[in-house]
Amino acid sequence: MKRTIIAGIILTHILISSYNLYATPEAFEVGPATQDQLPGGKEADGIIGDFIMRNNLIEAVISHNAHLRKANIGTNWDAVTPGCLYDLTRRGTNNDQLTIFRPSHQNGPVSYVRIVNDGSEGNAVVETVVSATINNGLFKRHEYHLQDGWQGLYVISTLHNKSHSPITIETRDLITNEAPRTVTLSDLKTVRGITVGGSIDPHHKAGYACGWVELNGMTAPPDTIELAPNEEISYARFLMVGNSPAQAFGLVAERQGSVGMVVGTIKEKDGTPALFAKVDVAIDEETVTAYPDSEGNYSFNLPEGKYNLTVNDLGRFPIEKNITVRAAKTRKENFVLKPASAIQFSIRSEDGKSIPCKAQFIGIEGTPSPNLGPSNRAHGCLDQYHSESGDFRVQLSAGTYRVIVTHGIEYTHLEKVVSIKEGEMMPFAGTLARIVNTVGWISADYHNHSSLSGDNTTGTDDRIINLAAEQIEFAPTTEHNRLYDWRPHIEKLGLVEEINTISGVELTGRGAHFNAFPIKPVPHTQDGGAPVWQTDPRINAIVLRNFQGFMPERWVHLNHPDMVEDFNDRNEDGHADGGYQGLQNLIDAAETWVGDTNTYDIFTRAPFHIGKGDEGEEEVHYDRQFIWLQLLNRGHRYWSIAVSDAHSIHGNGVGGWRIYVPSSTDEPSELNWKELIRNSKAGQILMTNGPFLQVETEDGVIAGGTTRAMGSINLKVKVQTTDWIDIDRIQILVNSRQRSDLNYTRESHPQMFQEGVVKFNQTLQVPISEDSHLIVVAYGENSDLKTGYGSSWQAEMHPCAYINPIFVDADGGGFTPNGDTLDFPIPTKGLSVDAAKEILKRL
């Protein structure tokens, strides 16, 4: 009976459609010889063993039944998802924006995924089956159907209760991730019963829609249903992909009933297509959006009725039209737009070459700051624009703006107030000069992400542009639980001379995370061939060190660590147990720097503070940097490292914190990763959000090194900053303590500080009475980073830079840590808010 229903449905669709019966869709399994057939795109996730379904209009990927088959970590990471739709895009566009489609929340093990029909007879079918035996008595089948001429998949689900008790089932589909941070479709909504959403970046011009289809006795199911013993239900839906949400919505609406078509063009008076304009279609209380193609044409279907169309484009006044759509009729609406108001940039380096950069637009004199687009893209993120070159155009509403252009912390900035009239194209040209002398050092960021990581939606190209605009010269690829290599993206964007990378991974789970590189990706395999995270961090560190063969030069560092659990209270019972003993000997560094706020930076004087929990309640927050300073005095010798851990572009983007590492070449394209890692392993790391700090002893020892001195030691300290950063304090920490006699401020020692690029250049004598490690800090107590970071949170930070310790052997017996825990025991878990407040009162 079930097969008869399906056959009837397919026959009905063939009879009521004008599709070519003799065209043949395809369904085939991907093998090594056909892996190049996998569709691409921002969210593409197909691997060898999956099933490709494609016709003349679309291509899709159904995940196969393999051990640990999952999409990225943003998608139900605690359960496998074989037999689900991972990719769906218009054929040949390589524009997949869909992370996963889980029919009726399908997840977990399946009995099999197989090709039922290969398409040679006009209908391609792949089915996913979960037997009742492995699913507590509930049999499930999801069938994916495709014929030529269909711009989507027809998905039929059959559920059969083979148990002796009623079973409650959730029928609602999951078309994307549910967590706000990982939702990979924008403006996801339900319009007249159809779920519809678009690409996160509207410039990617993609839309998806899904709706129930009522045919041959099958009706739209309720969100939840109770099946009696031996009861069966079947229901079907169409999942469509279009070049816009409006087009995808209209394709589903066409399957549900009669529709009319709206077509037209969006162009300027001279016939130039307005490529980034959009048509917002008001439907009841909601809005769906259509985009023009490369020729300026748009089209979509709508159910019969009256609608309001609004054409919107940055830098232009909106145009509205009310239209009536009639069934089986075509309504043509052409829009002619006036010239956009915009700024045309031409930004050069001192040698006249185009240079990557970031532009900020701050509305003044009553003009609001613009919203150029979502925070996770480079080409227009809120009030910023990050560009891979110095030649770019930004459309803005007429008004007055303060425009600031930067290229990281070594270059000057450009700042102008501009007033743009309606329809005016204003030129903005200038030169960014490299004034901070960092010869012999490379700027690097050892931890950031793009959408491949799954917990963010920043495109990989966008991340590369962000890195280049902020002048990060070396950035290993560290996607969550996925081996990948950003090099092809760097080459495609023409940024080989600006930035270098090596492939690596962030190994992630519900505990300690690790970054490691280099590790070679295995394309089109699960997670790119990455290892599986383990609960015990020591196992992860050992696995990463030895993965694909032991590599002594491989870098392994501990990410945003829980310093209490990892190093002092493993079971979190409030009693010191040494944490995961031996972990400190398995890592090269830990992200122990503090700088996310101005209150709890490296100068904090306690291992904890009172912060806010997820619900706004007070709770005890432990300060990583202070605990690291305590542990240094107890003999720990892994290095501190500062990273961005970037997941977006505006706000949580790169550039706010970075490191500098010695390098024999200053050319990013010529970097030797082995040299950089060797120097990093030696602790030769400067951590900074702005100042460039150089420290060495008279005998040439720098951060991470050990020297011999008796009575005192001289440190040569030099600080440079670009023209939008200032510092007014130098503090030397001796055995992690802030000594008042080694605190130099512009107020107390004005003769030591300068104006201009070089802010401080002195030889400082440090009295030594015992073996001591020295950390030098450059700080701007009376300044911020607002010029360079504007409305991003990094703007509120104080400029800060500091080095890893220099170790001084005072007696010739080798360096011995003094054991000082800085007036606090190394903390354990369980400290109450009230107890913490009482302790902090002493400060």
Side-chain angles (χ1 to χ4, degrees):
M1 178 65 179
K2 173 69 175 68
R3 293 295 181 183
T4 302
I5 291 174
I6 294 174
I9 294 168
I10 299 303
L11 179 60
T12 299
H13 275 283
I14 293 173
L15 292 176
I16 67 174
S17 303
S18 59
Y19 303 138
N20 183 357
L21 288 173
Y22 302 102
T24 54
E26 295 180 278
F28 61 92
E29 183 178 0
V30 179
T34 55
Q35 59 185 309
D36 62 343
Q37 301 296 302
L38 284 163
K42 179 169 164 286
E43 300 294 334
D45 224 347
I47 66 173
I48 292 173
D50 286 345
F51 299 98
I52 290 179
M53 301 184 73
R54 66 188 183 189
N55 64 5
N56 59 322
L57 296 178
I58 68 164
E59 45 195 343
V61 174
I62 313 298
S63 57
H64 72 295
N65 188 19
H67 177 62
L68 294 180
R69 186 66 182 111
K70 304 173 181 178
N72 58 46
I73 69 164
T75 57
N76 204 47
W77 189 247
D78 291 336
V80 294
T81 50
C84 292
L85 177 67
Y86 276 18
D87 302 329
L88 178 62
T89 182
R90 289 175 296 135
R91 186 158 183 177
T93 62
N94 288 318
N95 192 31
D96 175 61
Q97 303 286 321
L98 183 70
T99 300
I100 194 169
F101 174 76
R102 291 165 49 199
S104 297
H105 273 62
Q106 172 63 40
N107 71 285
V110 302
S111 299
Y112 58 82
V113 184
R114 66 166 187 161
I115 296 173
V116 177
N117 294 324
D118 65 4
S120 58
E121 297 180 356
N123 186 43
V125 182
V126 171
E127 70 173 358
T128 299
V129 170
V130 184
S131 70
T133 305
I134 69 168
N135 195 38
N136 298 314
L138 178 65
F139 171 87
K140 296 193 293 184
R141 177 190 289 118
H142 304 294
E143 298 178 64
Y144 303 91
H145 291 252
L146 181 63
Q147 295 181 13
D148 257 35
W150 292 4
Q151 202 166 319
L153 293 172
Y154 191 48
V155 187
I156 304 171
S157 296
T158 298
L159 310 176
H160 186 179
N161 181 2
K162 294 189 175 183
S163 74
H164 299 293
S165 303
I167 298 177
T168 300
I169 301 158
E170 185 173 12
T171 64
R172 184 171 60 92
D173 299 325
L174 187 66
I175 194 171
T176 185
N177 314 330
E178 292 186 312
R181 188 178 182 186
T182 60
V183 169
T184 54
L185 292 179
S186 68
D187 200 23
L188 195 64
K189 64 184 71 173
T190 300
V191 181
R192 296 192 180 179
I194 298 172
T195 301
V196 60
S199 50
I200 291 289
D201 183 348
H203 289 181
H204 288 163
K205 297 189 178 184
Y208 296 86
C210 185
W212 303 113
V213 181
E214 300 188 358
L215 286 172
N216 291 10
M218 290 193 296
T219 59
D223 286 348
T224 58
I225 189 170
E226 184 177 89
L227 286 184
N230 206 36
E231 184 179 3
E232 181 178 284
I233 184 175
S234 294
Y235 47 87
R237 77 288 271 167
F238 251 109
L239 174 63
M240 296 294 193
V241 58
N243 60 16
S244 69
Q247 189 183 79
F249 168 84
L251 290 167
V252 175
E254 182 182 21
R255 295 288 170 175
Q256 294 181 336
S258 59
V259 297
M261 178 173 281
V262 181
V263 301
T265 60
I266 310 175
K267 297 183 177 182
E268 299 192 33
K269 289 182 178 179
D270 63 0
T272 303
L275 295 179
F276 300 124
K278 62 178 182 174
V279 182
D280 290 323
V281 185
I283 305 177
D284 302 332
E285 301 300 318
E286 298 288 354
T287 299
V288 295
T289 300
Y291 303 121
D293 63 17
S294 59
E295 302 297 323
N297 302 309
Y298 72 91
S299 67
F300 51 87
N301 297 323
L302 288 173
E304 188 170 81
K306 294 182 178 181
Y307 299 92
N308 175 265
L309 307 184
T310 305
V311 175
N312 289 297
D313 193 17
L314 286 170
R316 312 182 203 259
F317 287 116
I319 300 174
E320 291 192 41
K321 282 188 180 180
N322 293 315
I323 66 169
T324 299
V325 175
R326 303 202 182 279
K329 302 292 184 181
T330 297
R331 175 66 182 256
K332 189 172 185 178
E333 291 292 346
N334 294 334
F335 294 91
V336 178
L337 307 185
K338 294 180 179 180
S341 51
I343 299 178
Q344 181 66 50
F345 287 88
S346 178
I347 308 301
R348 298 289 183 267
S349 59
E350 288 177 292
D351 59 4
K353 292 182 179 179
S354 174
I355 187 172
C357 58
K358 174 181 68 181
Q360 300 178 56
F361 305 91
I362 303 151
I364 60 175
E365 299 179 11
T367 301
S369 294
N371 183 352
L372 302 175
S375 63
N376 47 20
R377 75 172 183 181
H379 290 168
C381 48
L382 302 183
D383 57 1
Q384 298 178 4
Y385 191 103
H386 298 237
S387 178
E388 62 272 35
S389 76
D391 298 304
F392 57 100
R393 176 176 178 265
V394 180
Q395 293 180 197
L396 296 166
S397 298
T400 303
Y401 302 89
R402 176 174 290 108
V403 180
I404 300 173
V405 181
T406 56
H407 179 51
I409 60 177
E410 299 179 28
Y411 284 74
T412 56
H413 76 292
L414 298 169
E415 184 171 350
K416 298 179 184 178
V417 172
V418 300
S419 293
I420 310 173
K421 298 177 182 178
E422 182 185 347
E424 179 182 17
M425 175 72 72
M426 175 169 289
F428 189 113
T431 298
L432 296 175
R434 193 173 195 168
I435 58 174
V436 177
N437 183 355
T438 62
V439 171
W441 294 77
I442 284 291
S443 63
D445 187 343
Y446 285 179
H447 185 175
N448 46 75
H449 300 279
S450 72
S451 59
L452 293 168
S453 288
D455 64 343
N456 73 106
T457 55
T458 296
T460 304
D461 287 353
D462 297 88
R463 173 62 64 224
I464 303 301
I465 294 169
N466 179 210
L467 287 160
E470 295 288 3
Q471 206 238 327
I472 301 294
E473 297 165 309
F474 180 62
T477 308
T478 57
E479 305 286 11
H480 282 294
N481 291 354
R482 180 178 299 202
L483 293 174
Y484 196 69
D485 187 356
W486 285 344
R487 195 177 315 276
H489 297 266
I490 292 172
E491 293 171 353
K492 179 183 71 174
L493 291 165
L495 292 171
V496 172
E497 300 301 319
E498 305 292 338
I499 184 170
N500 208 330
T501 188
I502 51 175
S503 55
V505 70
E506 178 176 8
L507 196 57
T508 300
R510 298 187 184 278
H513 298 187
F514 291 84
N515 272 17
F517 45 83
I519 307 178
K520 186 178 180 180
V522 185
H524 299 137
T525 63
Q526 180 66 48
D527 302 328
V532 177
W533 181 88
Q534 305 292 328
T535 302
D536 191 320
R538 294 167 296 189
I539 296 176
N540 292 319
I542 292 170
V543 167
L544 289 169
R545 186 73 67 193
N546 292 277
F547 197 65
Q548 298 177 347
F550 176 66
M551 183 182 288
E553 61 266 41
R554 180 173 293 145
W555 175 264
V556 178
H557 83 245
L558 182 59
N559 298 354
H560 39 73
D562 183 329
M563 298 293 288
V564 179
E565 176 186 344
D566 293 340
F567 299 112
N568 200 43
D569 186 5
R570 172 180 172 180
N571 59 8
E572 302 184 31
D573 64 353
H575 299 285
D577 55 23
Y580 291 95
Q581 296 189 32
L583 175 61
Q584 65 269 25
N585 299 318
L586 298 172
I587 59 176
D588 298 309
E591 295 173 2
T592 56
W593 99 104
V594 176
D596 291 356
T597 70
N598 288 334
T599 307
Y600 306 106
D601 51 32
I602 191 171
F603 293 142
T604 185
R605 295 180 179 271
F608 49 79
H609 65 272
I610 307 301
K612 297 293 185 181
D614 293 337
E615 304 299 325
E617 75 282 8
E618 287 188 327
E619 62 182 19
V620 177
H621 290 181
Y622 296 93
D623 290 325
R624 298 195 304 257
Q625 187 72 68
F626 188 94
I627 299 171
W628 177 69
L629 292 173
Q630 290 180 304
L631 293 173
L632 271 175
N633 288 343
R634 295 287 296 272
H636 283 222
R637 274 292 189 103
Y638 49 86
W639 309 113
S640 180
I641 186 174
V643 300
S644 67
D645 192 3
H647 285 70
S648 190
I649 302 294
H650 185 284
N652 180 217
V654 305
W657 276 95
R658 68 181 74 193
I659 62 173
Y660 279 86
V661 182
S663 172
S664 58
T665 177
D666 294 302
E667 299 299 327
S669 61
E670 300 174 7
L671 291 177
N672 183 326
W673 65 263
K674 289 185 178 182
E675 177 190 28
L676 295 179
I677 292 179
R678 181 171 61 250
N679 292 338
S680 297
K681 284 175 178 284
Q684 297 175 0
I685 295 172
L686 162 67
M687 291 155 281
T688 182
N689 63 18
F692 183 66
L693 167 67
Q694 294 170 282
V695 180
E696 64 176 284
T697 65
E698 290 184 313
D699 57 348
V701 174
I702 64 173
T706 300
T707 188
R708 175 82 184 278
M710 296 180 63
S712 67
I713 187 170
N714 289 333
L715 297 180
K716 293 184 284 185
V717 179
K718 182 179 180 180
V719 183
Q720 301 174 70
T721 71
T722 190
D723 57 4
W724 53 273
I725 297 174
D726 193 16
I727 61 106
D728 52 20
R729 179 182 178 186
I730 298 293
Q731 172 73 67
I732 301 177
L733 279 61
V734 180
N735 286 329
S736 302
R737 287 190 175 271
Q738 300 173 43
R739 290 242 304 252
S740 59
D741 61 320
L742 299 174
N743 183 35
Y744 308 91
T745 69
R746 196 179 288 272
E747 181 179 4
S748 64
H749 297 76
Q751 72 282 2
M752 289 187 171
F753 289 82
Q754 304 169 210
E755 302 298 334
V757 175
V758 178
K759 294 293 193 294
F760 191 93
N761 192 11
Q762 302 287 330
T763 297
L764 304 176
Q765 186 177 54
V766 182
I768 297 293
S769 60
E770 61 177 341
D771 288 357
S772 301
H773 61 79
L774 311 177
I775 297 174
V776 180
V777 185
Y779 200 73
E781 290 187 312
N782 299 295
S783 56
D784 56 34
L785 300 172
K786 197 171 185 63
T787 297
Y789 295 104
S791 57
S792 294
W793 67 263
Q794 296 99 323
E796 304 304 321
M797 292 191 297
H798 292 299
C800 182
Y802 56 99
I803 62 168
N804 271 302
I806 293 174
F807 296 89
V808 182
D809 175 5
D811 57 14
F815 183 86
T816 301
N818 68 0
D820 178 16
T821 59
L822 309 178
D823 304 323
F824 291 89
I826 297 173
T828 57
K829 290 295 179 73
L831 183 66
S832 71
V833 171
D834 289 340
K837 286 181 176 179
E838 286 300 315
I839 294 172
L840 293 174
K841 283 181 181 178
R842 301 202 308 263
L843 299 179

